[in-house]
Amino acid sequence: VSMQWENGVSYDALVEAFDSTTGMHTIRYNTIPVATVGGTNHHQIRPEDLEKLPPVLADEFFLSEGRPGKETGVFEIVVSDGAKENGSVKSTEEKSDKEVEETEDEAASRHLMEEVQRTLINLEEGSRGRCFDPRALVEASACLKLEFDVWQQNDASEFATKLLDRLETSLKRWAPESFHYLDHTFGLKQTKQKICKECGLKTNREEKLLNVDCQIRGKSDIHEALATMCETEIMEGNNQVFCDNCKKNTDTVLRTAISELPNMLILSL
């Protein structure tokens, strides 16, 4: 790999190992070539002199994060000439036979996920004085099919909902082992319960959501809006609900509750 450092220079390194427990890679930087200077007034550095130098010790760190004052976390995979000569790198024709087929819509979702990843990485780099142009992310968002063009103002709630849905689809396809992270971070469970007032039968229906739609019109704060969403409703008269146990329409209590909270709760106002 070619590792980018904070000084703007990239250095070649070898990835020797990966620890699945810690998630860290063992990196060994390649020896930097030393220029030799000829002439009678200069000491000539010979290749055998370089071979006597002690080996550079390998370092263990997160490849995608780097270390403070050293790597930025940005790297590029480099294929060596020796690998090409030994035939360890397959030709384009051989690879194409084993490539996973994807529809145009799936390809657009994957591209959007890649742009989100690139944007988040560069946002982290921004604290170090780097600038980032997000136009690629904006253009990739066209697959969300928002109400207006991506270069115009759209509803934030609609964008967040469709973006998370697309990321969910892409992660299931291309990174199933990481899919639980999205679900654990943003996923919540909402339970709708109905209770028959005649026989007491309780029926629960649970659904998974990525955000909560809060109606804040006429409410003083978010707490009041959430309390309204969870208010109990009595269905009686012409609004009676069918009971599976009584086999008829009965007076029923309906109520909604959030049964499982995520690490990060998204409220759509």
Side-chain angles (χ1 to χ4, degrees):
V1 292
S2 179
M3 304 286 295
Q4 184 186 84
W5 277 47
E6 292 186 5
N7 59 9
V9 180
S10 295
Y11 300 98
D12 291 341
L14 295 175
V15 180
E16 294 191 339
F18 173 72
D19 190 333
S20 58
T21 304
T22 63
M24 293 193 292
H25 294 79
T26 301
I27 308 296
R28 183 187 299 275
Y29 279 96
N30 297 346
T31 305
I32 301 176
V34 180
T36 58
V37 182
T40 56
N41 297 327
H42 298 279
H43 173 66
Q44 181 69 29
I45 300 178
R46 296 170 297 178
E48 51 267 28
D49 295 330
L50 294 176
E51 293 177 358
K52 296 178 182 179
L53 295 175
V56 180
L57 296 178
D59 295 312
E60 189 177 32
F61 56 90
F62 293 103
L63 186 62
S64 60
E65 296 180 5
R67 295 170 292 179
K70 295 184 178 181
E71 301 88 359
T72 64
V74 178
F75 63 91
E76 180 182 358
I77 299 177
V78 180
V79 180
S80 64
D81 295 335
K84 295 179 181 179
E85 293 174 0
N86 295 331
S88 59
V89 179
K90 297 183 179 180
S91 64
T92 305
E93 292 78 8
E94 291 175 334
K95 285 185 177 180
S96 61
D97 295 337
K98 297 183 179 180
E99 286 181 354
V100 179
E101 295 183 359
E102 59 181 351
T103 64
E104 184 177 345
D105 190 59
E106 289 174 337
S109 297
R110 176 174 54 81
H111 178 57
L112 176 61
M113 180 175 67
E114 293 170 350
E115 290 302 330
V116 169
Q117 292 174 321
R118 186 175 291 108
T119 300
L120 293 176
I121 291 174
N122 282 276
L123 282 176
E124 184 179 2
E125 295 297 316
S127 61
R128 302 170 185 172
R130 291 180 173 82
C131 298
F132 175 66
D133 187 349
R135 281 181 292 185
L137 174 62
V138 176
E139 293 172 351
S141 298
C143 68
L144 299 180
K145 297 179 175 60
L146 301 172
E147 182 179 0
F148 303 106
D149 184 76
V150 292
W151 296 106
Q152 298 179 0
Q153 182 175 346
N154 281 276
D155 182 69
S157 175
E158 178 193 12
F159 175 78
T161 301
K162 291 187 175 181
L163 175 63
L164 291 175
D165 285 341
R166 284 282 181 166
L167 293 179
E168 187 177 37
T169 302
S170 298
L171 285 173
K172 281 183 178 179
R173 175 73 187 274
W174 301 108
E177 69 282 355
S178 301
F179 169 72
H180 72 281
Y181 175 78
L182 181 68
D183 189 52
H184 185 65
T185 303
F186 300 106
L188 61 99
K189 292 181 179 180
Q190 178 179 271
T191 300
K192 293 187 176 182
Q193 184 181 68
K194 64 178 184 178
I195 306 174
C196 176
K197 296 188 71 174
E198 291 192 13
C199 68
L201 177 67
K202 294 182 180 180
T203 305
N204 297 325
R205 182 169 61 87
E206 191 176 66
E207 60 178 326
K208 296 178 66 175
L209 303 172
L210 292 175
N211 67 321
V212 175
D213 188 13
C214 274
Q215 302 298 326
I216 60 172
R217 186 181 298 276
K219 305 296 187 297
S220 59
D221 54 28
I222 293 295
H223 298 283
E224 185 179 350
L226 289 172
T228 302
M229 184 188 74
C230 298
E231 284 181 347
T232 299
E233 184 178 5
I234 306 298
M235 308 298 290
E236 52 190 3
N238 294 331
N239 296 321
Q240 287 183 334
V241 178
F242 183 80
C243 174
D244 294 331
N245 189 39
C246 299
K247 304 300 181 183
K248 65 177 182 177
N249 292 339
T250 61
D251 292 347
T252 305
V253 177
L254 298 182
R255 58 188 182 187
T256 302
I258 298 176
S259 53
E260 185 175 320
L261 285 170
N263 287 340
M264 186 177 296
L265 179 63
I266 300 178
L267 300 178
S268 299
L269 308 180

